[in-house]
Amino acid sequence: MKLRTFICGLLALAFYNTSYAQDDAMLASVRQRFGLYTERAVQEKLFVHIDRPFYLVGETIWFKAYNLNGATHRFLDLSKVGYLEVLDSENNAVLQTKFAMVDGRGNGSALVPSTLVSGKYKLRCYTNWMKNFSAESYFETSVSILNPFVRFDPDRASKEETRYDVQFFPEGGHLVSGIESKVAFRAVGVDGKGIKFKGAILNQQNETVREFEPELNGIGYFKLKPEENAVYKAAITDSKGQRFEYQFPKVEPQGYIMEVKDSTSALVKVTVTGKLENEEPATIYLLAHTRQANAVFGKKGLGKGPAVFVLEKAKLGEGISQITIFNEKLKPVCERLYFKRPEKQLAIDAQVGKSFIGREKVAMNISAATGQALPAWSNLSVAVYLDDSIQYQPQHDMHSYLWLTADLKGDIENPGYYFQNVNQNTDRQLDNLMLTHGWRRLKWDKVFGGQLVSFEHLPEYDGHFIHARVLNRADGKPAVNKDAYLASLDVPARLYVDRSDNEGRVKFEVRQFTGPKEITLQTDLANDSTYRFEVATPFSKQFSTTAVPSFFFDKTLENQLLTRSVNMQTGNAFLPRIYTEKKAVLTDSLPFFGVPDEKYFLDDFTRFPTMEEVLREYVKGILVRRRQKEFHLRMIDKLLPNTYYTTDPLMLLDGIPVFDADKIIEMDPLKVKKIELISSRYFLGPMTFTGIVSFSTYRGDLGGFELDPKVLVMPYEGVQAQREFYAPKYDSNNANSRIADFRNLLHWAPNVTTGKDGKATVEFYTSDQTGRYKVVIQGITPDGTAGSKTVSFDVRKRSL
């Protein structure tokens, strides 16, 4: 009997150990798959500082972009190209530009088109890599643009029908009958701002089961224990006494409920309650992470009682953490956000006088420090503009944007409030915010899918990607495995090649591609002349759900608007261009094929009247052959003397491929400056050429050569040239100049660096425009500590 009991005990222990090992294997699999995903899905987070939030048509938007690692907020040198757009209320792009980034930083400018109508617009910024993820992760902010030359309605919202957006968010995501849970709510008007109201939850008999009111910005919460098979609706009454009804989340007969709260100052308690079809214990898994880092994993059995996870706050990262509960099939069943306050903030101080006169020099001393007033090296951007009382939405401050706005869905009203006067009340309001704004980065089906996640859009680490499709001219079907060539008239010559895939797609990674250019796209016209190209836009086609706020202009400020309009026109008419382009510095003056084997400057020789004679008499590395009334060029192989290739080399004219040797022979040699040869096989991408012969004209403009009509020639905008902000400098000689200076943007400095002592000095001159000016400084340290500062000063009229 004892032996039988002992054997049964061993079997039970073996079964328990096997089950435990399997569970551990599942947890290890979750940890491994999450790690593999986060290694590949690097998160970029962009913050853009614009010089001001309000513009007139004809003014220039100056901007500075900070490209940061989404997990650490450190500079991320991944994408080298950024995309900035201004969208109208229907997501139509009214302004688009590309700009270069180096070491995670980039800046540029864009002219506000004169064709825009007055209204609010959405300015957004992103990289090619960010297009793999939701558009909710793009940087977005609203700007006001006024066109004083076209009549506009100053208050369109007042004429629209009153409507509110009211949403309810059960904690964890679901309401389950018979289980009490917290339900958060958010109510906003057409302007995107929270409203004050009184609300009630009504059952099917229109009986009030719960009353509620918002605490801050239309946000609050209440607790509800839904009855079985109950259907609820919500009714609110606004401050004007108008009543509105809204749908309430459906009550589920079975499911999971989640509650997250601080257990102690060092612990977070996560309680999961389940109501399942059968009473057998179920296994649930917990995964908590902070922006894909600081991952915490857990496993519990869930039976009749709740399952409780206790998380150490020290293991969670600062900022927003996502806590997700999975069932035994790794399907998410509950999700919640939790916020851990950051310990450090960059303290920026700006010492500047209170009052100045027109055309006076201003020296502003800036200091930056982190915790315990330690001086900090930091990279800052500084804008100084006229605060002319025209209403506009304030800009994001970098600290609250990185910790809150960037990781939450929708628009966050006054995010800076949650970091001021930290107490129990602001902590509660911050937790309500976590309940009402969903996470916007991870999709769990991609994390726990059967295959490693792949991404359509690659990071533009070496240069800008130009995407196109090769199609059959006859039926528009994709052309497969066709060689494609992209080139532009550029010095030095650069040629980009690719071979089309099964969808006819080709991709060219263009380097040092700056400013407006004309590009050429073609196939090998000697063999494939029945195809055409469609060039894809590099700008994102997905849009966030954040609506553009309603437009409002105070009619009592018409005089200020008139003054600003006159000043804008005066500046455009009398002042020099507000920016100057830096001269391009050629880091590599060689063409794409490097140092040629042979180079001939034709002015060094007696000129012949035909290209055929030039090639036969002077260019030793080329044999000119004529067969069946067609000319062919043959390269002599430098590696195998006295032998030559039997196919035409790659022929280039000012960097543009030419596949017809007859047209080369017909060229006027007097327009050609030099001929360069590569006298061996040359490999470029997927292609192999039997040598290269490159012809260069004096002006680099093809010298009147007509390209084949099958070549697609189109304008294409590269990344914008680096531009410098222009502002006049006054001294005793020109301070009394009669040229009017009515600048309202006094200074824009996108790259101010504080030294090891945390100090820097910014100098500029005031203009003739009197009034109160605002100085806005944004910046961040290499370790990801961000901060902002705003100061003001007055400018008085200069006495003559």
Side-chain angles (χ1 to χ4, degrees), residues 39-55:
E39 286 178 2
R40 297 171 64 87
V42 176
Q43 295 293 318
E44 290 183 311
K45 184 183 288 188
L46 274 171
F47 176 79
V48 178
H49 179 194
I50 56 176
D51 60 321
R52 46 197 162 166
F54 169 75
Y55 301 91

Side-chain angles (χ1 to χ4, degrees), residues 232-394:
Y232 298 100
K233 64 181 178 181
I236 71 165
T237 304
D238 65 10
S239 57
K240 299 178 182 178
Q242 295 176 293
R243 187 176 186 273
F244 303 87
E245 291 188 355
Y246 298 90
Q247 287 186 337
F248 194 70
K250 181 182 177 182
V251 178
E252 304 289 345
Q254 290 97 23
Y256 297 85
I257 294 298
M258 179 186 194
E259 181 186 30
V260 177
K261 62 181 181 181
D262 288 340
S263 176
T264 67
S265 60
L267 300 175
V268 180
K269 183 180 178 182
V270 181
T271 305
V272 182
T273 306
K275 186 178 179 182
L276 308 178
E277 293 183 5
N278 51 57
E279 297 183 358
E280 295 181 6
T283 301
I284 58 174
Y285 299 91
L286 176 142
L287 197 166
H289 66 96
T290 309
R291 301 183 301 278
Q292 300 182 191
N294 300 86
V296 177
F297 303 87
K299 178 194 68 177
K300 293 285 184 180
L302 181 63
K304 293 182 179 180
V308 178
F309 298 88
V310 178
L311 308 180
E312 296 180 38
K313 287 187 181 181
K315 292 185 178 180
L316 297 175
E318 294 179 337
I320 297 175
S321 294
Q322 181 182 13
I323 304 173
T324 308
I325 302 298
F326 301 88
N327 62 17
E328 64 278 358
K329 296 181 180 179
L330 292 186
K331 299 297 181 184
V333 293
C334 285
E335 197 161 81
R336 170 76 146 85
L337 302 185
Y338 178 82
F339 191 84
K340 177 182 174 182
R341 289 189 177 277
E343 295 181 357
K344 294 193 300 182
Q345 180 175 352
L346 182 64
I348 301 174
D349 189 30
Q351 299 294 329
V352 64
K354 296 294 184 183
S355 180
F356 300 89
I357 61 173
R359 305 192 180 189
E360 182 180 355
K361 184 176 182 179
V362 179
M364 182 168 58
N365 296 317
I366 300 174
S367 61
T370 55
Q372 299 179 350
L374 295 175
W377 183 96
S378 59
N379 185 263
L380 312 172
S381 46
V382 181
V384 184
Y385 60 91
L386 179 66
D387 191 6
D388 51 13
S389 302
I390 298 177
Q391 291 188 10
Y392 51 79
Q393 186 167 329

